[in-house]
Amino acid sequence: MGINYFTAFGFAFIATAAFGILFQAPRKSLPISGFIGAVGWVVYCYIRKDLAYDSFYAMFFATVALSLLSELAARVFKQPVTIFVIPGIIPIVPGLGMYRGMAAIIENNYDTGMNILITTGMDASAIALGMMLMTSVFRVIKISKDHKRLLQLLHKEEKE
């Protein structure tokens, strides 16, 4: 049986908005944060389940999608990116993998536990890489705009 994406979207939306409340995000940003987190979760589910890619790739592309939406929302609504991206990553954080890995180690199943923990660490790395990539892209765009504006201003002053 496949995933019902509408249900997955709805629950991820609620979870993300709830964490936005927990992190004391502004009220007007909660629906946008919820949407961003839900999109990230649906992208993860689609890539992981339907396309059958490894969880690392699913985490990476889900994070890229939600980071892109967070950066765009921050510019549109003139808010810090963290208001959107931090609650947005909550649905894809691999907390269950950490729990299962530690539980296996506690039960003296070291090989299984270490394999789960390594996979979970790789998934967490994918989240960090995806966020870093999108943040870097938007920072380069901003720096290039600022640099172009500065050059125009200097060129204008030279003419005067």
Side-chain angles (χ1 to χ4, degrees):
M1 185 170 139
I3 293 175
N4 182 344
Y5 288 110
F6 292 114
T7 304
F9 185 92
F11 281 115
F13 181 92
I14 292 167
T16 305
F19 271 94
I21 292 168
L22 184 67
F23 295 147
Q24 298 179 355
R27 276 201 192 282
K28 65 182 179 179
S29 72
L30 295 177
I32 297 110
S33 296
F35 176 79
I36 290 168
V39 167
W41 178 248
V42 169
V43 168
Y44 170 77
C45 290
Y46 178 73
I47 292 172
R48 182 77 173 119
K49 305 293 184 194
D50 290 349
L51 299 181
Y53 279 94
D54 187 42
S55 62
F56 178 86
Y57 298 110
M59 288 282 186
F60 177 76
F61 288 114
T63 305
V64 166
L66 71 88
S67 293
L68 173 64
L69 290 173
S70 296
E71 292 281 350
L72 294 174
R75 271 118 186 110
V76 169
F77 297 104
K78 298 185 182 351
Q79 296 285 333
V81 178
T82 54
I83 288 175
F84 303 106
V85 78
I86 299 300
I89 63 170
I90 293 299
I92 63 171
V93 169
L96 184 60
M98 292 296 272
Y99 173 78
R100 285 183 177 162
M102 292 307 295
I105 288 173
I106 289 170
E107 294 170 356
N108 295 328
N109 195 351
Y110 300 113
D111 291 338
T112 303
M114 287 308 295
N115 284 336
I116 293 171
L117 287 175
I118 289 170
T119 301
T120 302
M122 293 297 291
D123 290 346
S125 299
I127 292 172
L129 285 172
M131 288 178 64
M132 186 175 66
L133 174 71
M134 291 313 300
T135 301
S136 299
V137 166
F138 274 86
R139 184 161 292 156
V140 165
I141 290 170
K142 183 180 181 332
I143 289 172
S144 67
K145 279 183 178 179
D146 291 345
H147 183 69
K148 187 182 284 186
R149 196 174 310 139
L150 179 63
L151 287 177
Q152 288 174 348
L153 185 63
L154 288 174
H155 186 67
K156 189 177 183 179
E157 286 180 4
E158 287 177 358
K159 284 185 177 182
E160 294 175 359

